[in-house]
Amino acid sequence: MAPHEHAPADAWADHVLEVVTTGMESLAIHLGDRLGWYRALAADGPLTARALADATGTHERYAREWLAHQAAAGMVTVTATPAGPVHALPTGAAEALTDPRSLAYAAPAARLLAAAAAQMPALLEAYRTGGGVTWDALGDDARWAQADGNRPWFESRLAPALAEVPELHAVLSRADARIADVACGAGWSTLALARAYPDARVTGVDVDAPSIAHARERAEEAGLADRVDFVLVDGGSLAGGYDAAFIIEALHDMPRPVEVLDAVRQAVRVDGAVVVVDERVEESPAPPGDPFERLMYGYSLLVCLPDSMANDTTAATGTVMRPGVLRGYAADAGYSEVTVLPIEAFPQFRFYRLHH
Ligand SMILES: C[S@@+](CC[C@H](N)C(=O)[O-])C[C@H]1O[C@@H](n2cnc3c(N)ncnc32)[C@H](O)[C@@H]1O
């Protein structure tokens, strides 16, 4: 947290250096994640630097420096042995950094920051000119970090959360229900919906070709390809006879959110359900923000706003889409009412139901 506004320059300088230190620790987490160092420590630790380098096909001198950094940062423990210092990853850290099925899995957040940092020249240019940096330009690290970060939440929390809302659960449980997952990304939510509602046919749509290709492979692997399909199309082109549609953590990215909401309204039966899931930010800004609000503004600066700005016509929403902004989009798209569903299982998301 920044110092008090009347704090002396030294206190501000300390704060800036602390922030930079934390930023570098985030990039060090990314190194450890991508180079397999955390996974090796979790599986086979405690390890010397030599053993870590050998196990991961990396260079011993870098492994030694990274381990020393991680020890200084309190991320690994160090024990002196006759073979030299050995390093271990605490159990909780191992889960947060290496277990893709855990709700505590946080390594993807560091990967998303690294993906954005790699685009800094393009970001600076966009900030000067009003241009943008597309989701595609942010690349695979951003794409799969997004997917991996949300996956455990969809797999373990989505089905029970929806089942707790009787009117919605009834729509989704209809015989031969058709469900759309608009802006499905890698498709983990689409597959979770299909597992939760075995009578449903679920269609994921997205404009990102690698995400759709990945999602199709996952559907095959899961044995769900007979009733789950993935289509490379803009959500603004959605058409026809759905019982329900979801837009999960994506409306704020869309350059034309009203157009997409309007298409979704027309594609979903009037007795169906439209659900927008988006960041659980405060109703209005109240600086200084809490850690979640600060994280969301960080994503907005580096990822979501530049992506949305990379279009000639754009609402330029940003990650921090306040409930009032969503209500305005919904009204403009012809919905009569927006209600917030009583779903508390996702501390990061608010579930909005948009009524015809
Ligand atoms: C932050 S990701 C969220 C993906 C996924 N729903 C999730 O929760 O992990 C945003 C996604 O929106 C997609 N997207 C953005 N605008 C879109 C549009 N107009 N139609 C369909 N997909 C869109 C992007 O390609 C990207 O996959």
Side-chain angles (χ1 to χ4, degrees):
M1 184 60 72
H4 186 270
E5 62 173 306
H6 301 301
D10 284 354
W12 284 96
D14 286 349
H15 173 63
V16 170
L17 291 176
E18 195 179 316
V19 169
V20 171
T21 303
T22 307
M24 289 193 284
E25 287 174 6
S26 176
L27 296 175
I29 287 175
H30 179 65
L31 287 172
D33 176 35
R34 294 294 85 191
L35 294 171
W37 283 339
Y38 288 126
R39 285 184 289 283
L41 286 168
D44 301 319
L47 294 173
T48 62
R50 169 88 273 156
L52 180 64
D54 288 348
T56 53
T58 52
H59 196 283
E60 190 271 343
R61 178 66 190 93
Y62 283 114
R64 186 154 38 99
E65 197 73 0
W66 181 80
L67 284 167
H69 169 275
Q70 293 291 285
M75 297 288 290
V76 300
T77 61
V78 195
T79 308
T81 74
V86 294
H87 304 79
L89 195 58
T91 309
E95 182 174 335
L97 291 162
T98 69
D99 183 354
R101 310 307 281 265
S102 168
L103 293 177
Y105 187 45
R111 201 176 346 148
L112 190 48
L113 174 63
Q119 293 300 319
M120 196 47 73
L123 285 166
L124 287 167
E125 179 67 8
Y127 270 63
R128 291 196 178 98
T129 62
V133 181
T134 63
W135 186 237
D136 196 47
L138 284 160
D140 277 352
D141 271 342
R143 189 177 277 126
W144 309 137
Q146 166 71 32
D148 292 352
N150 277 349
R151 175 187 176 185
W153 291 89
F154 296 147
E155 290 189 338
S156 67
R157 292 270 170 105
L158 191 60
L162 298 174
E164 278 177 18
V165 187
E167 326 81 70
L168 180 59
H169 186 58
V171 171
L172 298 167
S173 304
R174 286 174 185 161
D176 301 321
R178 288 186 63 213
I179 303 172
D181 184 10
V182 178
C184 61
W188 294 116
S189 51
T190 324
L191 298 179
L193 287 165
R195 283 195 192 92
Y197 297 98
D199 289 338
R201 174 158 197 90
V202 191
T203 300
V205 309
D206 202 287
V207 289
D208 185 56
S211 293
I212 288 294
H214 183 279
R216 285 179 180 146
E217 285 173 20
R218 300 291 83 74
E220 289 285 349
E221 278 172 15
L224 290 167
D226 57 330
R227 59 188 185 85
V228 175
D229 61 333
F230 289 100
V231 186
L232 183 66
V233 70
D234 192 299
S237 306
L238 194 73
Y242 287 97
D243 293 275
F246 289 80
I247 305 176
I248 303 178
E249 209 181 21
L251 190 71
H252 67 253
D253 294 304
M254 295 181 179
R256 291 178 296 283
V258 173
E259 189 180 301
V260 174
L261 287 179
D262 185 33
V264 168
R265 181 181 55 75
Q266 295 185 55
V268 172
R269 295 161 42 155
V270 288
D271 63 352
V274 176
V275 178
V276 172
V277 181
D278 220 291
E279 319 300 353
R280 195 189 281 263
V281 293
E282 299 293 334
E283 293 276 345
S284 53
D290 62 19
F292 183 72
E293 197 102 344
R294 290 163 60 197
L295 184 66
M296 292 303 110
Y297 271 119
Y299 287 139
S300 199
L301 285 179
L302 300 172
V303 177
C304 301
L305 182 61
D307 173 32
S308 157
M309 288 284 283
N311 294 273
D312 292 339
T313 309
T314 178
T317 309
T319 318
V320 186
M321 184 175 68
R322 308 265 177 215
V325 172
L326 183 270
R327 287 177 201 282
Y329 290 162
D332 290 347
Y335 292 88
S336 63
E337 192 188 1
V338 175
T339 51
V340 174
L341 296 173
I343 292 177
E344 300 299 332
F346 290 76
Q348 72 277 44
F349 293 148
R350 196 178 276 117
F351 284 61
Y352 303 91
R353 181 154 177 198
L354 280 55
H355 301 263
H356 277 79

